[in-house]
Amino acid sequence: MEIPRQICEAIVAHARFAYPEEGCGLLASGVDGTGAVSDLRMAYCLTNATRSPTRYTVAPNEHFRAMRHAEANGWELSGVFHSHTHSAPYPSPTDVAGALEPDWLYVIVGPTDVESPEIRAYWIRDGKIIEEPLTVVDGRRRPARTR
């Protein structure tokens, strides 16, 4: 999956800002009619209501505002991101247990105390973890115009 560089940079910056707690947020993508996550458009950097270095909960009121903003732009919420403060960006048992949206992309960054933190993405369905390779791209690709 392609992920715009600006979204990667926003996720890393938010994770660093939230440190020593886990940073978290939501992802929005364009709607293509198939229900598949594609064309990531926005990273909503939100508050970790749990305020923990090992767990996260997206603040409910901010979740609602992100959903309204996405819908107003013709997008849909399509994933969540969070940081691991002291471990590799791989879903923990807590992450797997909390993965309630099987069609969402789960993006993890970590740890942020290095120059270039690693960002990885996963599908988590029925307790199974499937990595989704990410390709960082500059800007969004736009369809070719036809006359």
Side-chain angles (χ1 to χ4, degrees), residues 3-19 21-28 40 42-46 79-84 89 105-112 117-121 134 136:
I3 184 168
R5 184 173 311 282
Q6 298 92 329
I7 289 178
C8 284
E9 290 171 354
I11 291 170
V12 170
H14 185 61
R16 286 186 167 143
F17 177 78
Y19 187 85
E21 298 169 357
E22 286 192 359
C24 63
L26 297 170
L27 300 168
L40 290 172
M42 177 72 77
Y44 296 98
C45 299
L46 306 177
V80 64
F81 70 87
H82 75 283
S83 58
H84 282 181
L105 186 66
Y106 293 84
V107 175
I108 304 173
V109 59
T112 57
E118 186 177 9
I119 298 177
R120 295 171 69 184
L134 293 178
V136 179

Side-chain angles (χ1 to χ4, degrees), residues 32-104:
D32 66 1
T34 68
V37 176
S38 63
D39 195 20
L40 290 172
R41 299 291 183 97
M42 177 72 77
Y44 296 98
C45 299
L46 306 177
T47 301
N48 178 353
T50 306
R51 303 195 57 95
S52 167
T54 58
R55 296 178 187 267
Y56 74 95
T57 302
V58 171
N61 62 327
E62 293 178 14
H63 184 144
F64 182 70
R65 279 198 308 260
M67 182 177 65
R68 287 183 44 213
H69 181 267
E71 289 173 353
N73 283 284
W75 309 331
E76 62 183 36
L77 294 181
S78 57
V80 64
F81 70 87
H82 75 283
S83 58
H84 282 181
T85 58
H86 294 80
S87 64
Y90 186 81
S92 69
T94 301
D95 295 336
V96 174
L100 303 177
E101 296 287 345
D103 294 328
W104 275 19

